[in-house]
């Protein structure tokens, strides 16, 4: 991502500089773990509600999710379950909307994790433009996917650049 920021800033993109930023990996992994921890209550309740049979599914998690979606009939899934799933999904959604640029701050500005979290929270006070941007980029990528894999790779790259530019715009405002 640092090379993309160099490209946005009209700085030279030097491939050997990729190895200069490996010291950021532990910080990025720690932030990524916070993201995963925000989904833990939802996943724990899901696994409690629909137990995972390791003997039947092995490591095929896709078959497990497919079977649980097929078997989620009105008799097995109650209104209280839907309310609990909705309540438990609030934490990951809030984390995504308020702390989506923590990793970018770590990479771009070399902030500490705590400073990046605080700055990201302040920067993303307006979530509506981010939601609109995400929906627009999702629709754009979905449409480009029909053109073929090569076009889809380019559209994903364009999406990253658009989000990085939006991040920079938010950075200038704060």
């Amino acid at each position: 991502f640092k090379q993309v920021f160099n490209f946005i800033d009209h700085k030279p993109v030097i491939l050997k500089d990729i190895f200069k930023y490996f010291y950021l990996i532990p910080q990025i992994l720690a932030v990524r773990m916070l993201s995963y921890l925000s989904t833990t209550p939802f996943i724990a309740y899901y696994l409690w509600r629909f137990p995972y049979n390791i003997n039947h599914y092995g490591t095929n998690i896709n078959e497990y999710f497919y079977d649980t979606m097929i078997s989620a009939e009105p008799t097995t899934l109650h209104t209280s379950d839907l309310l609990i799933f909705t309540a438990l999904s609030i934490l990951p959604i809030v984390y995504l909307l308020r702390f989506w640029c923590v990793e970018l701050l770590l990479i771009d500005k070399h902030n500490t994790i705590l400073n990046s979290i605080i700055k990201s929270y302040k920067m993303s006070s307006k979530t509506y433009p981010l939601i609109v941007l995400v929906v627009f980029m999702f629709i754009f990528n979905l449409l480009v996917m029909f053109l073929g894999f090569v076009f889809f790779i380019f559209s994903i790259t364009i999406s990253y650049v658009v989000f990085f530019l939006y991040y920079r715009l938010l950075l200038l405002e704060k």
Side-chain angles (χ1 to χ4, degrees):
F1 289 151
K2 189 67 173 173
Q3 297 303 324
V4 177
F5 285 126
N6 287 342
F7 175 76
I8 291 172
D9 294 337
H10 303 292
K11 293 179 182 176
V13 177
I14 303 169
L15 290 180
K16 71 176 183 172
D17 284 350
I18 292 174
F19 300 108
K20 286 176 33 178
Y21 302 104
F22 276 126
Y23 69 94
L24 293 171
I25 291 176
Q27 292 176 327
I28 292 170
L29 288 176
V31 169
R32 190 59 57 103
M33 288 303 295
L34 287 174
S35 171
Y36 295 148
L37 284 174
S38 73
T39 62
T40 301
F42 181 87
I43 293 171
Y45 184 75
Y46 190 90
L47 290 173
W48 176 77
R49 188 66 181 91
F50 304 105
Y52 186 82
N53 185 349
I54 192 81
N55 295 326
H56 177 72
Y57 297 111
T59 58
N60 192 353
I61 196 82
N62 291 331
E63 184 181 356
Y64 164 70
F65 284 125
Y66 180 75
D67 286 351
T68 56
M69 293 300 154
I70 296 298
S71 68
E73 298 172 4
T75 57
T76 60
L77 192 63
H78 304 288
T79 306
S80 61
D81 290 329
L82 293 175
L83 291 174
I84 292 171
F85 281 132
T86 303
L88 292 176
S89 66
I90 289 173
L91 182 63
I93 291 170
V94 167
Y95 184 87
L96 284 173
L97 290 175
R98 296 307 297 253
F99 302 111
W100 67 272
C101 57
V102 172
E103 292 178 25
L104 300 177
L105 286 165
L106 288 172
I107 294 168
D108 188 30
K109 300 299 178 188
H110 305 283
N111 291 345
T112 63
I113 293 174
L114 184 59
N115 288 341
S116 296
I117 289 172
I118 292 169
K119 192 164 192 164
S120 175
Y121 185 81
K122 290 178 182 176
M123 285 172 55
S124 60
S125 60
K126 300 175 187 173
T127 57
Y128 182 72
L130 178 64
I131 293 170
V132 170
L133 185 63
V134 167
V135 169
F136 174 75
M137 295 311 296
F138 176 75
I139 292 170
F140 171 72
N141 287 322
L142 194 64
L143 293 174
V144 171
M145 211 168 33
F146 291 114
L147 297 175
F149 184 72
V150 174
F151 293 108
F152 181 62
I153 290 174
F154 284 117
S155 72
I156 291 291
T157 305
I158 291 169
S159 298
Y160 275 116
V161 171
V162 167
F163 279 108
F164 290 167
L165 288 172
Y166 179 66
Y167 152 77
R168 284 290 176 86
L169 179 69
L170 289 176
L171 201 58
L172 290 176
E173 289 179 358
K174 299 295 174 189

